[in-house]
Amino acid sequence: MVNIVHKHDGILDKFIGDAFMAFFDDEDSAQKATQAALEVRAAAENLKQKWQQAGAEDFNIGIGLNYGEVIMGNIGSEERLEYTVIGDAVNVAARLESETKEARSPILISESIYNQLRTVHQQQFTHYGAKSLKGKSETVNTYKFINSEDNKLLKVA
């Protein structure tokens, strides 16, 4: 999964338990992040099938994408300094990831990402609604991945 993020010029920020956080920092970051998310989802589906054939337990993934202003740099203290991103945009992405369970969708994106996508990627998402996310006073307009076998535009080896 990390290789997919790097392939699309993403930066792995940190591992958090069984999850990871990555960010994309260029003029086409929304497009690159979405393409990476689609490929991570496809890779996870392939891995899931292999593991199930070997008798492993089923698993699902959740990916939340948001676009917005962040503070980026070395953050912390003399004892522990970490290159990272912080800010409301990061918090919204984390809340979207949590919302994927209720949405029953592996990928949930904010309107700020959706509006920057090319048509080919917009067609892979459908409006999910304005959602109240934890810690947010205003709702966030969201779009969820259309999980259709007929609509697969990419395959990961």
Side-chain angles (χ1 to χ4, degrees):
M1 306 301 163
V2 173
N3 290 339
I4 293 169
V5 170
H6 288 157
K7 176 177 133 184
H8 294 285
D9 302 324
I11 299 166
L12 175 67
D13 187 74
K14 64 184 71 137
F15 289 99
I16 310 161
D18 64 353
F20 67 87
M21 183 175 106
F23 61 92
F24 296 76
D25 180 32
D26 66 30
E27 60 198 35
D28 205 20
S29 59
Q31 192 68 38
K32 288 179 177 181
T34 302
Q35 183 63 35
L38 292 167
E39 290 182 27
V40 164
R41 184 212 59 86
E45 284 300 313
N46 290 338
L47 185 60
K48 183 178 182 173
Q49 289 175 5
K50 287 179 188 175
W51 285 3
Q52 284 177 332
Q53 289 171 354
E57 288 187 37
D58 193 15
F59 70 90
N60 292 305
I61 67 163
I63 301 169
L65 298 179
N66 187 39
Y67 180 86
E69 290 186 20
V70 297
I71 297 171
M72 179 175 28
N74 290 314
I75 298 171
S77 67
E78 288 180 15
E79 291 82 31
R80 180 151 191 241
L81 203 57
E82 185 177 348
Y83 186 79
T84 190
V85 292
I86 61 172
D88 189 54
V90 176
N91 296 335
V92 169
R95 301 300 187 266
L96 290 172
E97 184 276 328
S98 294
E99 183 73 21
T100 61
K101 294 167 191 69
E102 185 164 323
R104 295 180 184 221
S105 177
I107 307 170
L108 198 59
I109 65 174
S110 67
E111 187 171 54
S112 61
I113 289 274
Y114 182 85
N115 289 339
Q116 295 184 54
L117 297 179
R118 295 181 191 105
T119 304
V120 67
H121 282 132
Q122 283 183 337
Q123 291 172 347
Q124 291 182 286
F125 292 87
T126 187
H127 189 251
Y128 180 55
K131 296 295 169 186
S132 296
L133 302 176
K134 182 180 175 185
K136 296 290 295 172
S137 58
E138 296 181 16
T139 59
V140 175
N141 233 346
T142 61
Y143 295 78
K144 69 179 187 175
F145 177 69
I146 301 168
N147 199 4
S148 167
E149 293 301 312
D150 300 333
N151 198 21
K152 279 191 179 174
L153 296 182
L154 32 103
K155 292 186 179 183
V156 175

